[in-house]
Amino acid sequence: MLFDSHAHIDDEKFDNDRDQVVARALENGITGIINVGACMASSARSIALTQKYENIYAAVGIHPHDAKDASEEDYEQLAQWTKLHKVVAIGEIGLDYYYDLSPREVQRAVFIRQLDVARQTGVPFIIHDRDAHGEILDILKKEAKGAPGVLHCFSGSLEMAREVLKMGLYISIAGPITFKNAAKLPEIAATVPLDRLLVETDSPYLTPHPHRGKRNEPAYVKLVAQQVADLRGIELSVLAKANRENIRSLFKI
């Protein structure tokens, strides 16, 4: 009864076997998948997936990589999409100072505008944060007070995690928790309150051990969840139940 809270199976890497990927997820006890948009086109594809597959839900948003292409019409479209039954969040949005594919000032402006869309429409947000921890926190404190959301594939410090939790936000753990060089992540995964913790694959990226180096897929969220459960000293079933309740609470699924 697990739920993959963040995947991108609209990606072309799944074009040849998408039906089989979704079927494998179900066979492995993955009862739901949130397919997350990264640009307007992928957001539209995510919505299309919700119409084809009963267990797929969508988030719509503009990734910081694509912030340079955002327009006023896009924000209006995102707001309209949130009215659809299976669109459950604005995301993924945020800052990426590792690749810097869009100018940083543009990333910040587009991030703030999309936080406003989430707040105005009443849906949660899904945050992408790479090498921008301080600015992410600053913007969230100023622009998202009281609004629900999750930091996906969390890569910040334990101190940042505590700040995020103070804001009432959720933290999502992905495949890197299974890597030998996971560093600070195991401590975070072990100490975040169970009612604020999500698991994800970020498929087709960040494939967990022992499949690292291959394409990731939602069925592998079970490996992430098992590692988190082991770190916390609890049964997988306990983590899975909490994860499902958190999905229901945050995304209203």
Side-chain angles (χ1 to χ4, degrees), residues 35-224:
N35 203 79
V36 182
C39 63
M40 297 304 289
S42 68
S43 295
R45 292 195 300 269
S46 296
I47 293 171
L49 289 178
T50 71
Q51 296 165 352
K52 183 175 182 181
Y53 302 104
E54 182 180 357
N55 62 325
I56 292 183
Y57 300 81
V60 295
I62 303 169
H63 191 286
H65 288 346
D66 294 279
K68 60 186 179 297
D69 299 319
S71 69
E72 287 300 315
E73 292 75 16
D74 292 340
Y75 303 127
E76 294 173 10
Q77 180 64 77
L78 292 173
Q80 288 299 314
W81 276 336
T82 65
K83 298 176 182 179
L84 298 175
H85 171 58
K86 293 177 77 178
V87 173
V88 298
I90 294 291
E92 61 188 279
I93 63 175
L95 303 174
D96 193 307
Y97 290 174
Y98 181 80
Y99 286 108
D100 279 324
L101 296 184
S102 289
R104 292 186 178 186
E105 64 273 15
V106 174
Q107 291 189 45
R108 289 190 287 269
V110 173
F111 179 27
I112 290 169
R113 284 298 305 272
Q114 291 183 100
L115 284 173
D116 186 57
V117 172
R119 188 170 55 248
Q120 294 296 328
T121 58
V123 299
F125 49 78
I126 298 171
I127 301 296
H128 171 98
D129 166 26
R130 188 157 188 191
D131 289 2
H133 306 322
E135 287 203 42
I136 287 282
L137 277 177
D138 288 344
I139 290 173
L140 288 175
K141 288 176 180 178
K142 293 174 185 175
E143 306 291 341
K145 290 181 180 178
V150 57
L151 274 74
H152 108 90
C153 189
F154 189 79
S155 61
S157 64
L158 183 58
E159 292 73 21
M160 181 181 182
R162 288 171 178 152
E163 289 296 309
V164 167
L165 294 169
K166 284 179 186 176
M167 286 186 272
L169 302 177
Y170 290 74
I171 286 174
S172 184
I173 304 296
I177 192 66
T178 68
F179 299 170
K180 289 183 179 179
N181 62 346
K184 61 212 170 189
L185 197 53
E187 183 180 7
I188 293 168
T191 57
V192 169
L194 199 55
D195 64 356
R196 297 283 195 83
L197 191 63
L198 299 179
V199 290
E200 63 171 282
T201 59
D202 201 20
S203 307
Y205 315 107
L206 301 176
T207 311
H209 176 80
H211 304 291
R212 193 175 183 184
K214 301 176 182 178
R215 184 193 68 178
N216 201 2
E217 61 179 77
Y220 295 162
V221 76
K222 192 171 183 178
L223 297 169
V224 176

